[in-house]
Amino acid sequence: MTKKKVFIISHSHWDREWYLAYEQHHMRLVELMDDLLELFETDPDFNSFHLDGQTIILDDYLQVRPEKREAVQQAITAGKLQIGPFYILQDDFLTSSESNTRNMLIGHKESLKWGTPVALGYFPDTFGNMGQTPQMMLQANLPAAAYGRGVKPIGFDNEVLADDNFTSQYSEMYWEGPDKSRIFGLLFANWYSNGNEIPAEEEAAKAFWKQKLADAEKFASTGNLLMMNGVDHQPVQKDLSKAIALANQLFPEYEFVHSNFTEYLEAVEKDLPTDLGTMKGELTSQETDGWYTLANTASARVYLKQWNTRVSRQLENIAEPLAAMAYEVTGTYPHDQLDYAWKTLMQNHPHDSICGCSVDEVHREMMPRFEKANEVGKYVADEALAALTSAIDTSAFPADSKPFIVFNTSGATRSGLATLEVELERKTFAQGVPQNLYKELQERPAGTYHVVNAAGDVVAANISSEDVHFDYDLPKDRFRIPYMERSVMVEVEVTDMAPFSWETFALVAGAAPTTEGGLVSPDGRVLENDWIKAEIQADGSLSLFNKALNKQLDHLLVFEDMGDIANEYIFKSPVGDQAILSTDFPYTVEVMENNRLKGVVKVTHQMMIPASADALLEEEQRAVMEFRSRKAGRSENLIPFTIETLITIQRQRGDLQFATTVDNQAKDHRLRALFPTTLAVVTHEADSIFEAVTRPNQPSSHWENPTNPQHQHAFVNLHDADFGVTVNNFGLNEYEIVEDTIALTLLRCVGELGDWGWFPTPEAQCLGQHTFNYGIVIHGAPATRYETYKQAQALQVPLLASQTKLHAGNLPTAQTYVTVAADNFAITALKRRWADNQLILRGYNLADEPEKFALKKDGAKALHLLNLLEEEQAETVAENLAPYEIRTIGIIQ
């Protein structure tokens, strides 16, 4: 009889920060690494230690022990430290498509500095697994993935029930993505700690192995059993070799070996049975009771999600495209600066960080990382803008004009308003005393101005009155230059501006032709353009009418407040809690702006809500009572809760945009905006990682949680054969489909971390002022929904404008830098490759159907197909884009 083989893999799942502040975990990491390096020297039988799939651990250790670099290198070279393939262990769903890609790109590059990365997509504790993982892993040369969540294993009976789509009879399975890519999947069915702290004493070892072997065999499809010797922040087991020797002595029918993932995967994949199951798409615990999917981390500490979106857009959609274009002027690309910014941002991407489910100290430390990465992105963008604008020809404009250039750095065609400050005159401090200069500029007679394009035609614009303020320049070749500046703010309207393009305009003296009227009625209750009409109803809700479709939606923009007595991971309302709705309270309407290009109305709802949960909640939290057993309710003490919403309509757009501001002084509650759609459909679509994912509106029969929270990035959509509704957002990652209603979570406030103990988190109550940005659009036939998806993604990226001087230049006044002909292709990156500065464009097919694809770039000699590591796969690019395909293209110039 062939012995079953037990593969014991040593590891420590290293959350960089969680229930302790980062430096507390950091110092423990130093001790772990010290112990490992010593153990490698003293125990030749210790095979290896899996370094949790993340190379940042090496940086963190050497930051404190730089003298250990040679010892670390020797351990990696000898195979004792198993490294990579990622930079950090990110949360899949709360980090962007490009963030997930850069984690692999930078992790791969960092791994190769040291040695060979482990060829395993490692997701031990990701809070749900993205559906495009199989395609992404294959495009990163990773044929297998290991994960701890998302699939419900059955075991002994080896039978999957007919209505179960996310249940496996084994811990081993195949995983298929929406594009039909397939990889080998390994579920930690008994968690990644099933071989932790193996006893080296006989009686304890007998009991340990009797239980652990039975647990593993319950789910294993082969005679190769996996034992994960470690858990969260676990110190290395120093007597492991002794414990393994004892196991081999006590259980001779098994062979116990200290091993690694490379050896285990090779062994198990050789013996796989023919009835191995296949999981498809997202793995998010769809067929559990629904309570521990941890999807509500999408709404914990929403300010983190908003900052993450801001920085991601700054790096991906502003800094990198501008730098890629500016390369043709400068011949240089800021790889090092961008890598530094990406690494800094990704330090906020582990699941306990970006998910907002740590102690307050952790999330306080995240804010400077966001700010640092953002400032680097702004610097890179400003440098690129300066290079580009100095090279764009503006000589055709009048001698006394103030030229400026508008850039669309998003991947979608844009219409709307670009905003910039245009300098009219400056006085440097070398010219006089600052206050005198300030007064001199203030006393200038007010002028009138309008905007023209390169052909001299007047362009629609809003121009403010003149203002005087301090500013400064930082020249590259001399000392700073402070000055006083007289300027105006300009909003210029652009129409159908192509992706990755620029257009040049100029501010000139003289009044513009006037156009009477605005987009808002005098009382502010109606906002209307050629596309839509919106009306504030008697109860304070909103109706929206699409003129082309003759379709109206009612009762939109109703705010719902409910109690929350759970934690940072999970929402749960008190027993018997009733929603408090804004339609039950008074409101006011005020016109804030009204002109021919834009209308803005402020609606202020004056709600009264409970100040917090009642006193019982803290007692239940202190007792570490599982949240489902809690009896706490909401306080009877009601406090004012004012919700101010700016509703914006633009002349050339068929959508409405909202900016809702609250000064939150209430605790233990959740605020949502509700958008009923009248659509009686069974599925919806949402923005996910390289995918417009289709999800069921109703959970499985196993689901017990009365709510069904979901993740999104830029949009969620409901549609039928006639029309659909897309709700877009900025940094609001949680939604729920409730019958026909899209419920968008704006704010969720709780007072504890949750999980395995009592960790108070008063800052997770999110007291203070918050502003939430989101919008809505009605579309027609299903095929038109994809354009609303691309617009939702593009709305997260502002149209950029930068003033320049009158000068000749090598670049034309208007240009489309690169053109992609594929209506449903969502572009995620325009950048330069590290190795050779080759221009890279990446994106994916939003649709479940193939479509024609063409890319044009002036001066391009060839297009090469690359993988996600930006390695060449083929010297040609297929004309057809496959359903759900992720495509990276190298543009040879």
Side-chain angles (χ1 to χ4, degrees):
M1 178 175 143
T2 303
K3 286 186 177 183
K4 290 187 176 182
K5 195 168 184 177
V6 181
F7 291 80
I8 299 167
I9 297 179
S10 291
H11 77 108
S12 185
H13 175 52
W14 205 263
D15 301 302
R16 293 182 80 239
E17 49 196 16
W18 182 20
Y19 53 87
L20 295 171
Y22 165 68
E23 291 299 348
Q24 290 283 347
H25 288 290
H26 191 188
M27 294 304 103
R28 286 163 173 79
L29 173 64
V30 172
E31 293 179 1
L32 169 65
M33 291 292 291
D34 285 346
D35 288 345
L36 283 172
L37 294 177
E38 180 182 357
L39 188 60
F40 297 156
E41 293 292 330
T42 59
D43 184 358
D45 294 329
F46 193 94
N47 177 280
S48 61
F49 190 91
H50 183 71
L51 214 54
D52 204 35
Q54 46 181 328
T55 62
I56 196 172
I57 289 175
L58 301 172
D59 295 340
D60 291 345
Y61 177 59
L62 294 174
Q63 186 180 30
V64 178
R65 295 267 199 261
E67 72 281 3
K68 295 289 188 179
R69 178 173 292 272
E70 184 177 349
V72 169
Q73 181 63 74
Q74 289 175 354
I76 294 171
T77 302
K80 296 292 187 180
L81 273 180
Q82 299 277 306
I83 63 168
F86 303 144
Y87 179 63
I88 50 93
L89 290 187
Q90 83 284 24
D91 178 83
D92 287 357
F93 286 111
L94 292 179
T95 55
S96 69
S97 299
E98 281 302 313
S99 292
N100 278 279
T101 302
R102 304 318 168 86
N103 187 38
M104 295 192 294
L105 264 171
I106 291 177
H108 183 70
K109 187 174 75 170
E110 292 292 307
S111 296
L112 293 182
K113 289 179 182 178
W114 294 97
T116 302
V118 178
L120 174 68
Y122 195 61
F123 307 97
D125 196 16
T126 309
F127 298 167
N129 296 285
M130 53 199 173
Q132 286 279 36
T133 301
Q135 185 179 182
M136 294 173 66
M137 294 304 101
L138 291 179
Q139 288 203 25
N141 304 324
L142 302 172
Y147 37 89
R149 298 182 187 272
V151 179
K152 183 174 68 175
I154 287 184
F156 292 130
D157 57 7
N158 292 338
E159 180 184 359
V160 178
L161 301 178
D163 64 340
D164 285 10
N165 297 309
F166 299 95
T167 299
S168 173
Q169 69 269 52
Y170 302 123
S171 52
E172 298 81 31
M173 64 201 72
Y174 294 115
W175 186 2
E176 185 179 290
D179 72 317
K180 307 305 180 184
S181 292
R182 193 168 80 157
I183 60 175
F184 175 67
L186 173 64
L187 175 68
F188 296 127
N190 295 300
W191 207 230
Y192 52 74
S193 58
N194 66 326
N196 191 35
E197 296 183 349
I198 300 172
E201 184 274 321
E202 184 170 335
E203 290 305 314
K206 287 180 181 178
F208 178 91
W209 284 117
K210 182 179 180 182
Q211 182 64 53
K212 296 295 184 177
L213 292 171
D215 289 343
E217 289 172 335
K218 179 180 180 182
F219 302 115
S221 66
T222 76
N224 302 287
L225 307 180
L226 178 63
M227 291 290 165
M228 297 292 287
N229 177 236
V231 72
D232 302 349
H233 312 107
Q234 179 76 4
V236 63
Q237 183 172 346
K238 296 181 180 180
D239 64 350
L240 183 61
S241 295
K242 179 181 176 183
I244 292 174
L246 178 60
N248 276 308
Q249 176 186 332
L250 294 175
F251 295 85
E253 65 274 27
Y254 295 87
E255 180 186 0
F256 297 83
V257 294
H258 194 208
S259 189
N260 54 67
F261 275 113
T262 302
E263 294 173 354
Y264 167 74
L265 289 170
E266 182 180 359
V268 75
E269 290 189 65
K270 284 181 180 178
D271 296 340
L272 292 175
T274 57
D275 64 339
L276 205 66
T278 298
M279 300 294 106
K280 296 183 179 181
E282 294 181 334
L283 306 182
T284 57
S285 302
Q286 292 99 321
E287 283 161 0
T288 64
D289 63 12
W291 280 112
Y292 281 92
T293 66
L294 310 187
N296 288 121
T297 56
S299 59
R301 301 181 189 257
V302 70
Y303 60 91
L304 298 176
K305 283 66 171 178
Q306 293 172 307
W307 259 105
N308 185 59
T309 302
R310 181 179 299 122
V311 183
S312 297
R313 298 290 75 77
Q314 180 66 43
L315 296 181
E316 299 169 27
N317 305 108
I318 300 175
E320 287 185 341
L322 287 172
M325 291 188 281
Y327 176 84
E328 306 209 8
V329 176
T330 65
T332 62
Y333 187 81
H335 291 289
D336 292 331
Q337 293 94 323
L338 286 167
D339 271 8
Y340 168 69
W342 273 111
K343 286 182 175 180
T344 304
L345 173 61
M346 286 193 293
Q347 288 172 30
N348 283 348
H349 285 174
H351 49 258
D352 296 306
S353 303
I354 191 59
C355 288
C357 54
S358 295
V359 293
D360 291 340
E361 292 86 348
V362 165
H363 300 300
R364 248 178 266 142
E365 187 163 359
M366 289 175 64
M367 298 309 293
R369 295 183 200 136
F370 281 134
E371 291 167 347
K372 288 166 66 174
N374 196 49
E375 292 301 327
V376 175
K378 287 163 60 178
Y379 177 85
V380 168
D382 289 345
E383 293 289 292
L385 278 172
L388 286 166
T389 55
S390 67
I392 293 172
D393 192 348
T394 60
S395 59
F397 288 96
D400 59 348
S401 66
K402 305 293 182 182
F404 62 89
I405 301 158
V406 176
F407 294 84
N408 176 14
T409 60
S410 77
T413 300
R414 305 285 299 276
S415 295
L417 300 175
T419 303
L420 82 157
E421 179 184 65
V422 175
E423 178 188 293
L424 303 172
E425 181 183 5
R426 72 168 60 176
K427 295 284 186 179
T428 67
F429 283 13
Q431 295 175 272
V433 179
Q435 61 264 37
N436 294 339
L437 301 175
Y438 180 84
K439 182 178 179 182
E440 180 182 346
L441 291 175
Q442 271 199 322
E443 292 176 349
R444 293 274 197 270
T448 57
Y449 308 94
H450 61 276
V451 173
V452 297
N453 60 20
D457 301 323
V458 175
V459 178
N462 292 323
I463 301 168
S464 74
S465 58
E466 297 171 7
D467 181 47
V468 178
H469 60 87
F470 164 79
D471 208 341
Y472 61 91
D473 282 342
L474 293 175
K476 296 291 185 180
D477 57 353
R478 52 201 169 104
F479 195 53
R480 63 177 180 255
I481 304 174
Y483 56 85
M484 290 296 177
E485 173 186 278
R486 184 168 63 96
S487 63
V488 293
M489 295 299 300
V490 175
E491 286 183 320
V492 61
E493 188 177 64
V494 298
T495 305
D496 294 332
M497 192 171 183
F500 308 113
S501 68
W502 66 75
E503 297 180 24
T504 306
F505 305 89
L507 185 73
V508 296
T514 59
T515 301
E516 296 298 326
L519 303 179
V520 179
S521 64
D523 63 359
R525 303 189 77 90
V526 178
L527 302 89
E528 185 172 8
N529 62 18
D530 291 344
W531 314 99
I532 58 174
K533 179 180 180 180
E535 187 169 0
I536 300 166
Q537 300 298 315
D539 62 358
S541 67
L542 187 73
S543 67
L544 177 60
F545 179 70
N546 183 295
K547 297 180 179 180
L549 299 173
N550 194 32
K551 181 66 182 178
Q552 178 162 314
L553 299 179
D554 297 311
H555 308 297
L556 304 174
L557 200 65
V558 174
F559 297 100
E560 170 206 80
D561 190 82
M562 295 195 72
D564 189 346
I565 59 170
N567 52 54
E568 291 180 316
Y569 294 95
I570 301 166
F571 165 82
K572 184 185 182 302
S573 59
V575 175
D577 191 30
Q578 296 295 313
I580 301 172
L581 301 177
S582 58
T583 47
D584 293 330
F585 295 90
Y587 68 95
T588 59
V589 179
E590 181 181 359
V591 178
M592 307 301 293
E593 186 175 351
N594 189 20
N595 54 65
R596 68 190 192 281
L597 304 185
K598 184 171 72 170
V600 182
V601 170
K602 181 166 73 172
V603 180
T604 303
H605 291 92
Q606 300 285 355
M607 297 176 68
M608 296 293 290
I609 66 172
S612 64
D614 60 29
L616 179 59
L617 179 59
E618 183 173 346
E619 180 182 340
E620 293 173 333
Q621 290 171 338
R622 286 178 175 274
V624 195
M625 178 184 289
E626 207 266 355
F627 64 90
R628 286 176 291 184
S629 300
R630 292 175 181 173
K631 305 301 182 185
R634 301 191 77 175
S635 170
E636 295 181 1
N637 177 30
L638 302 182
I639 62 172
F641 189 62
T642 302
I643 303 175
E644 295 182 347
T645 301
L646 297 178
I647 305 174
T648 299
I649 187 171
Q650 292 189 27
R651 179 171 72 168
Q652 293 202 30
R653 297 188 59 86
D655 61 334
L656 287 179
Q657 292 300 310
F658 311 109
T660 294
T661 299
V662 299
D663 182 4
N664 179 51
Q665 297 303 319
K667 301 176 180 179
D668 312 312
H669 71 122
R670 181 190 67 186
L671 177 68
R672 302 200 296 191
L674 307 181
F675 295 93
T677 68
T678 73
L679 287 158
V681 291
V682 297
T683 64
H684 66 279
E685 292 178 343
D687 189 20
S688 191
I689 308 307
F690 288 119
E691 182 182 10
V693 62
T694 300
R695 294 172 178 150
N697 294 349
Q698 293 295 323
S700 76
S701 59
H702 307 278
W703 202 267
E704 297 176 6
N705 188 340
T707 67
N708 185 20
Q710 303 286 344
H711 291 90
Q712 66 171 338
H713 280 276
F715 62 80
V716 59
N717 170 276
L718 283 169
H719 68 272
D720 63 14
D722 298 319
F723 83 100
V725 179
T726 299
V727 171
N728 57 64
N729 78 90
F730 187 96
L732 303 174
N733 293 110
E734 180 184 286
Y735 72 92
E736 183 182 1
I737 303 299
V738 184
E739 297 179 347
D740 72 336
T741 296
I742 298 172
L744 178 66
T745 303
L746 305 184
L747 186 67
R748 192 167 71 86
C749 309
V750 293
E752 68 163 349
L753 189 158
D755 204 342
W756 59 275
W758 185 55
F759 300 95
T761 56
E763 291 172 23
Q765 297 285 9
C766 297
L767 302 180
Q769 184 165 299
H770 301 267
T771 297
F772 314 106
N773 297 97
Y774 52 105
I776 187 172
V777 62
I778 303 173
H779 65 79
T784 65
R785 72 189 188 275
Y786 296 116
E787 181 59 28
T788 72
Y789 296 175
K790 293 170 70 172
Q791 290 298 319
Q793 294 169 337
L795 279 168
Q796 295 189 343
V797 186
L799 290 165
L800 302 175
S802 181
Q803 187 174 357
T804 188
K805 299 181 183 299
L806 288 166
H807 50 62
N810 296 325
L811 298 178
T813 57
Q815 183 176 4
T816 298
Y817 183 72
V818 61
T819 301
V820 175
D823 291 341
N824 301 330
F825 187 72
I827 299 172
T828 62
L830 183 68
K831 61 185 286 289
R832 297 275 169 178
R833 184 163 68 176
W834 179 274
D836 55 7
N837 290 319
Q838 184 180 116
L839 184 63
I840 302 290
L841 185 139
R842 182 164 38 251
Y844 64 101
N845 189 354
L846 286 160
D848 58 359
E849 298 178 351
E851 71 168 340
K852 293 291 185 181
F853 177 92
L855 186 153
K856 294 181 180 179
K857 166 73 174 72
D858 289 345
K861 298 176 181 178
L863 304 179
H864 288 188
L865 181 67
L866 312 179
N867 63 14
L868 283 177
L869 298 181
E870 297 172 5
E871 302 165 333
E872 186 166 316
Q873 303 299 292
E875 292 188 357
T876 58
V877 176
E879 292 183 0
N880 288 323
L881 190 70
Y884 301 107
E885 179 184 347
I886 303 168
R887 182 171 287 187
T888 303
I889 301 160
I891 303 170
I892 316 301
Q893 295 178 274

